[in-house]
Amino acid sequence: MASYTLKPLRVVRSIQQIRHYSAPLDNAIPASKQKYVPTSGTYPKGFLVSGTHVGVKPTNTRFPDLALITSETPCSGAAVFTKNKFQAAPVTVSREMLQQRNGKGVRAIVINSGCANAVTGKGGLEDAESMARTVDACFADPEAPASDTPAISSTIVMSTGVIGQRLPIQKILSQIPTAHSSLASAHSGWLTAARAICTTDTFPKLLSRSFTLPSSPHTTYHLAGMTKGAGMIHPNMATLLGILCTDAPIPPSTLSPLLTHAVSHSFNAISIDGDTSTNDTVAILANGAAGGPEIASSTSPDGLAMQETLTKFAQDLAHLVVRDGEGATKFVHIHVVNALSVAAARAIASSVATSPLVKTALYGRDANWGRILCAVGYTPGVEAGVIVPEKTSVSLVPVDGSEELKLLVEGEPEAVDEERAAGILESEDLVIRVDLGGGETGRGREEASWWTCDFSHEYVT
Amino acid sequence: MASYTLKPLRVVRSIQQIRHYSAPLDNAIPASKQKYVPTSGTYPKGFLVSGTHVGVKPTNTRFPDLALITSETPCSGAAVFTKNKFQAAPVTVSREMLQQRNGKGVRAIVINSGCANAVTGKGGLEDAESMARTVDACFADPEAPASDTPAISSTIVMSTGVIGQRLPIQKILSQIPTAHSSLASAHSGWLTAARAICTTDTFPKLLSRSFTLPSSPHTTYHLAGMTKGAGMIHPNMATLLGILCTDAPIPPSTLSPLLTHAVSHSFNAISIDGDTSTNDTVAILANGAAGGPEIASSTSPDGLAMQETLTKFAQDLAHLVVRDGEGATKFVHIHVVNALSVAAARAIASSVATSPLVKTALYGRDANWGRILCAVGYTPGVEAGVIVPEKTSVSLVPVDGSEELKLLVEGEPEAVDEERAAGILESEDLVIRVDLGGGETGRGREEASWWTCDFSHEYVT
């Protein structure tokens, strides 16, 4: 069992979100977010996890801030890292490790919150390396001679928190054996680990799911994942971490493209490309503990099914980050359809999703399609012919299945039923649909989705 | 005299800014902004201006919302328009007029606030055209036969306000003769005109200046300008209008490149390229009423002097827009130096200036160089070798002339005197200096400036 027990929770009944910047999450989850915290789960076989209190920030005297995710057997690993020019030490160390191993023989992921170990120079790299090595040592045969230490670590390292400060590395290293001895497979362990990676998040973000694959319909596979974000405006601007685990048998050569595809349509569709912090990392481990035939290719029937499952799962996880966006009171899906290219659809969806004018309008429950149109119109880098004012339509789509509310139809403003608009904008979930009408040729059929939250007062507090 | 008298003003003594969205400015200017409203001015010869109440928005029963800027003689005109794919009717009409005239023989600029005449179809174009024609008619000889009506209008039209609604065109047209009969050259007329173009602005933005040119040191020339903005985050996202008038003799062939250069270093350095509303327009009229030799080229000694004067003047005007940014409590100059290219320096300055993380840190008076660095690092489209972490330095530069406060020196965090940092962050004006150290080759010496404001609570209200 984990050394830290999550329940009972103190529920904050006010809509006001309480945040402790760059400090571990308090033992309080806003009432409005309670529904996103699972009370049980079905977890992948052969994974053991824990969340442990270290006190990376001296002010944190009791909450878990070190997560350890391990596989009982060496497994495949892959990761997608930040594109920021300033990369934190754990990013550099983990990237090199995965390259050297070609994604094979990974055993663990260790994550600390409270300090990002970013812009910390050579000492920071040594700290990240020593975290990995200390986890490795927990798996080593204590009887084996020191010369048996493998040349390459088998542990992925992540850090999140304040930039520019060195880790209290001795404190962290001294608690890694405790983290190892606390490893467990139960739901409470997963939830404690998910909580340990939080910084300004108001709730731990954990999901699990079971699925089957076409070639082995009687084998049940599992996926579990945790994430943290709670970013400003573009969620990726605060550190975004994601950890995915599955007991499906996926070799590194398949795992890497599957993860890239999934992240591109999930974690990278809640922010603009390249708009990432120094530490952003999404990693996946696949240990094959559930058995069945190896997924040899991402384009085989099993591979395609796995891709769909993984992408949907990653989306659901990424959506939790949006729901916990600083100041978020709404979850908004920007859906751009009938575009001449996927790239253009993505760029336009991103432009609308990140427009502060749109976001404040949503918070203000203002069906101002002018702001949406304006954000469509200034999307940078869109080729000629993609956006044709006389072909552009904008609708609000309620999530209750009722009819869409047309705001603009082929460039002409609609007489909007303001009451209905206000009703749709009242709800927590909402879709804004931008139909480009096929562009200049009329033949565009590409689409893209982006997810965002509104902007509220709390954001600047 | 103008039909509307600005003074006495009701001064709001609280720091709280009162805004009336998409409505003309109330007769109240926040105490903190009073200092930006001139009480006198020195205006270019041969220009007459007025501000008139129309009531474009029915709720506006008394404030001026129609500005008329005229030259006593036909003059040179140039304008820079929005790059948004959705262009408002007045933008289309004014652009075509200037093209057809090659910038010659312009007589007036007419501007209404309260309604943007954007996304209004063919009827909107007719409305914009009729505004121009009605102004033209005021200058026509009443005895001349109707067949003498010139084929091309001589009036630039601008509109700002709500998108997607038709102008109350009859109301506007009926007040244009009043606006014409109210034309005056006094300061109060200019200030009333500056107020008439305001929407969510908290104060009218008007500047005037006299200058000389190298070839005629005894001739005094004048520049006057007004602007409106009060945008969200990037000021250009709300409609930005700028009107510049000078009595220097500048032919259209010189005026156009001078304006483009000035706007690029002023109004386009307070937002990201292309990030513009449907109506953004900056126009200039030059009537030569002060005499002296024509500025035949923008690269002649007179042309270069004019360029410097005009650019500095446009910067000062644009800065007023930043100071009135919705929620702004600080004026921040982002200065990127020692870059390998001007384009990269601009992109990085823009990335830092528009980073919500940086803006909220400034409001919170948090010397968080990590956020600045993060924004530098995710600047999109920067070539390899421009940003080298180990060569990057970040400083806070106080505007009182005291020494800069180094936050990061060549990639290494400095031990920051938190008290001094807090002191610098207390002041309204601030420079953030990002030194790229010459990039990979060490030889980069290019620089760029961007101006921004902080983000405060008021922004989302």
Side-chain angles (χ1 to χ4, degrees):
Chain A
M1 257 307 291
S3 59
Y4 169 85
T5 312
L6 196 68
K7 304 254 173 178
L9 292 163
R10 177 165 62 83
V11 177
V12 179
R13 297 228 168 262
S14 147
I15 195 161
Q16 177 72 32
Q17 295 175 12
I18 295 174
R19 289 177 196 272
H20 303 269
Y21 288 87
S22 305
L25 191 68
D26 192 2
N27 203 15
I29 294 172
S32 63
K33 308 293 185 192
Q34 277 287 321
K35 60 188 167 196
Y36 302 118
V37 182
T39 52
S40 66
T42 163
Y43 296 95
K45 290 176 193 161
F47 283 97
L48 297 171
V49 305
S50 69
T52 303
H53 171 253
V54 169
V56 172
K57 284 186 77 88
T59 49
N60 172 20
T61 55
R62 59 196 183 109
F63 300 112
D65 52 3
L66 183 75
L68 185 59
I69 320 284
T70 68
S71 169
E72 290 178 315
T73 54
C75 60
S76 305
V80 174
F81 298 101
T82 180
K83 288 179 182 130
N84 197 298
K85 298 280 194 304
F86 296 89
Q87 303 210 330
V91 169
T92 304
V93 165
S94 299
R95 186 201 303 275
E96 282 177 11
M97 183 278 275
L98 284 171
Q99 274 170 355
Q100 289 175 341
R101 288 199 160 272
N102 283 318
K104 287 177 199 150
V106 180
R107 282 300 295 275
I109 303 176
V110 63
I111 311 117
N112 76 275
S113 60
C115 175
N117 192 10
V119 203
T120 42
K122 198 163 164 287
L125 290 170
E126 288 166 5
D127 291 346
E129 183 77 26
S130 66
M131 278 174 71
R133 289 297 185 179
T134 306
V135 172
D136 294 344
C138 296
F139 294 104
D141 178 355
E143 307 294 310
S147 61
D148 276 13
T149 305
I152 312 169
S153 168
S154 58
T155 301
I156 294 169
V157 187
M158 303 182 190
S159 296
T160 176
V162 180
I163 295 183
Q165 290 178 8
R166 289 285 298 275
L167 290 173
I169 190 65
Q170 288 311 325
K171 270 168 102 173
I172 293 174
L173 299 185
S174 71
Q175 288 303 306
I176 286 178
T178 310
H180 184 256
S181 63
S182 309
L183 288 170
S185 61
H187 170 72
S188 61
W190 283 89
L191 195 55
T192 309
R195 167 160 282 196
I197 67 173
C198 292
T199 54
T200 60
D201 308 66
T202 68
F203 63 92
K205 297 167 189 71
L206 173 69
L207 288 178
S208 61
R209 190 161 299 167
S210 31
F211 62 98
T212 58
L213 292 171
S215 72
S216 45
H218 302 297
T219 307
T220 302
Y221 295 106
H222 303 87
L223 254 173
M226 59 186 72
T227 186
K228 62 89 48 190
M232 326 290 283
I233 307 184
H234 315 161
N236 273 11
M237 292 181 65
T239 291
L240 188 141
L241 299 180
I243 298 105
L244 301 156
C245 299
T246 182
D247 49 16
I250 317 176
S253 57
T254 309
L255 194 61
S256 189
L258 285 178
L259 181 66
T260 301
H261 182 275
V263 170
S264 160
H265 291 80
S266 57
F267 293 105
N268 279 349
I270 54 171
S271 173
I272 58 167
D273 289 342
D275 200 311
T276 50
S277 93
T278 51
N279 290 60
D280 292 359
T281 306
V282 180
I284 185 167
L285 300 182
N287 67 2
E294 201 174 67
I295 305 178
S297 147
S298 61
T299 54
S300 67
D302 278 1
L304 291 172
M306 188 69 218
Q307 178 167 297
E308 198 182 325
T309 301
L310 185 65
T311 300
K312 181 70 181 62
F313 187 76
Q315 281 174 350
D316 290 346
L317 263 181
H319 293 176
L320 291 177
V321 175
V322 177
R323 292 195 186 277
D324 201 15
E326 278 165 31
T329 67
K330 279 190 201 315
F331 178 81
V332 187
H333 173 187
I334 312 292
H335 192 196
V336 175
V337 299
N338 296 322
L340 282 174
S341 71
V342 172
R346 276 178 74 90
I348 292 164
S350 163
S351 182
V352 175
T354 56
S355 161
L357 276 171
V358 171
K359 288 163 82 85
T360 46
L362 289 168
Y363 179 68
R365 289 160 193 172
D366 173 6
N368 192 328
W369 54 264
R371 294 182 177 196
I372 298 168
L373 210 63
C374 200
V376 171
Y378 65 62
T379 307
V382 170
E383 319 87 278
V386 168
I387 301 167
V388 181
E390 313 81 67
K391 292 192 167 188
T392 307
S393 303
V394 176
S395 301
L396 292 184
V397 187
V399 291
D400 63 4
S402 64
E403 211 189 340
E404 65 176 337
L405 179 68
K406 293 173 181 178
L407 302 176
L408 185 82
V409 177
E410 297 182 347
E412 294 288 334
E414 287 284 287
V416 174
D417 177 345
E418 296 288 348
E419 212 165 301
R420 173 125 200 271
I424 296 174
L425 289 166
E426 278 291 327
S427 70
E428 188 179 338
D429 285 47
L430 178 69
V431 182
I432 294 175
R433 191 164 173 275
V434 176
D435 188 337
L436 298 172
E440 204 159 48
T441 64
R443 269 177 272 155
R445 293 292 173 269
E446 301 297 345
E447 58 178 277
S449 284
W450 218 264
W451 294 275
T452 190
C453 53
D454 61 341
F455 240 168
S456 78
H457 266 105
E458 198 237 1
Y459 169 62
V460 289
T461 306
Chain B
M1 256 308 291
S3 58
Y4 169 86
T5 310
L6 194 68
K7 304 255 173 176
L9 292 162
R10 178 166 61 83
V11 177
V12 180
R13 299 226 167 263
S14 147
I15 195 161
Q16 179 71 30
Q17 295 175 12
I18 295 174
R19 291 178 195 270
H20 302 269
Y21 288 88
S22 305
L25 190 67
D26 191 1
N27 203 16
I29 293 172
S32 63
K33 309 293 184 191
Q34 278 287 322
K35 60 187 169 198
Y36 302 118
V37 183
T39 53
S40 67
T42 164
Y43 295 95
K45 289 176 192 161
F47 283 97
L48 296 171
V49 304
S50 69
T52 304
H53 171 251
V54 169
V56 172
K57 283 187 78 87
T59 49
N60 172 20
T61 55
R62 60 196 181 108
F63 300 112
D65 51 3
L66 184 75
L68 184 59
I69 320 285
T70 68
S71 169
E72 290 178 315
T73 54
C75 60
S76 304
V80 174
F81 298 101
T82 180
K83 287 179 182 132
N84 198 297
K85 298 280 195 305
F86 297 88
Q87 303 210 330
V91 169
T92 304
V93 165
S94 299
R95 186 201 303 275
E96 281 176 11
M97 184 278 273
L98 285 171
Q99 274 169 356
Q100 288 175 342
R101 289 198 160 272
N102 284 316
K104 287 176 199 150
V106 180
R107 282 300 294 275
I109 304 176
V110 63
I111 310 116
N112 76 273
S113 59
C115 175
N117 191 11
V119 203
T120 43
K122 197 161 164 291
L125 290 170
E126 288 166 6
D127 291 346
E129 184 78 23
S130 67
M131 277 174 71
R133 289 298 185 177
T134 306
V135 173
D136 295 344
C138 296
F139 295 105
D141 177 356
E143 307 293 309
S147 60
D148 276 13
T149 306
I152 312 169
S153 169
S154 58
T155 301
I156 294 170
V157 188
M158 304 182 191
S159 296
T160 176
V162 180
I163 296 182
Q165 289 179 10
R166 289 286 296 276
L167 289 172
I169 189 66
Q170 289 311 324
K171 271 168 103 172
I172 292 173
L173 299 185
S174 71
Q175 288 303 304
I176 286 177
T178 311
H180 183 256
S181 64
S182 309
L183 287 169
S185 61
H187 171 73
S188 62
W190 284 89
L191 195 55
T192 309
R195 166 161 284 197
I197 67 173
C198 291
T199 54
T200 59
D201 308 66
T202 67
F203 64 92
K205 296 165 190 71
L206 173 68
L207 288 179
S208 60
R209 189 161 301 168
S210 29
F211 62 99
T212 58
L213 291 171
S215 73
S216 46
H218 302 297
T219 307
T220 302
Y221 294 108
H222 304 87
L223 253 174
M226 59 185 71
T227 186
K228 64 86 48 191
M232 326 292 284
I233 308 186
H234 315 159
N236 273 12
M237 291 182 65
T239 290
L240 188 141
L241 300 180
I243 298 104
L244 301 156
C245 299
T246 182
D247 49 16
I250 316 177
S253 57
T254 309
L255 195 61
S256 189
L258 285 179
L259 181 67
T260 301
H261 182 274
V263 170
S264 159
H265 290 81
S266 57
F267 293 104
N268 279 348
I270 56 171
S271 174
I272 58 167
D273 289 341
D275 200 311
T276 50
S277 94
T278 52
N279 291 59
D280 292 358
T281 306
V282 180
I284 185 166
L285 300 181
N287 67 2
E294 201 173 68
I295 305 178
S297 147
S298 60
T299 54
S300 67
D302 278 3
L304 292 173
M306 188 70 217
Q307 177 167 297
E308 196 181 328
T309 300
L310 185 65
T311 301
K312 181 70 180 64
F313 187 75
Q315 282 175 348
D316 290 347
L317 264 180
H319 293 176
L320 292 176
V321 175
V322 177
R323 291 196 187 275
D324 202 14
E326 279 164 32
T329 67
K330 280 192 200 314
F331 178 81
V332 186
H333 174 188
I334 311 292
H335 192 196
V336 175
V337 299
N338 296 321
L340 282 174
S341 71
V342 172
R346 276 179 73 90
I348 292 165
S350 163
S351 181
V352 174
T354 56
S355 160
L357 276 171
V358 171
K359 289 163 81 86
T360 46
L362 288 168
Y363 178 68
R365 291 164 192 169
D366 173 6
N368 192 328
W369 55 263
R371 294 182 175 195
I372 299 168
L373 210 63
C374 200
V376 171
Y378 66 61
T379 308
V382 169
E383 318 87 277
V386 168
I387 301 168
V388 180
E390 313 79 67
K391 291 191 167 190
T392 306
S393 303
V394 176
S395 301
L396 292 184
V397 187
V399 291
D400 63 4
S402 64
E403 213 190 338
E404 68 177 336
L405 179 68
K406 294 175 179 175
L407 302 176
L408 185 81
V409 177
E410 297 183 346
E412 293 288 334
E414 287 284 287
V416 174
D417 177 346
E418 296 290 345
E419 210 164 303
R420 175 126 198 270
I424 297 173
L425 289 165
E426 278 291 327
S427 70
E428 187 179 339
D429 286 46
L430 178 69
V431 182
I432 294 175
R433 191 164 173 276
V434 176
D435 188 335
L436 298 172
E440 204 160 50
T441 64
R443 269 176 274 154
R445 293 291 173 270
E446 300 298 345
E447 58 178 277
S449 284
W450 218 264
W451 293 275
T452 189
C453 53
D454 61 342
F455 240 169
S456 77
H457 266 105
E458 200 236 1
Y459 170 62
V460 289
T461 306

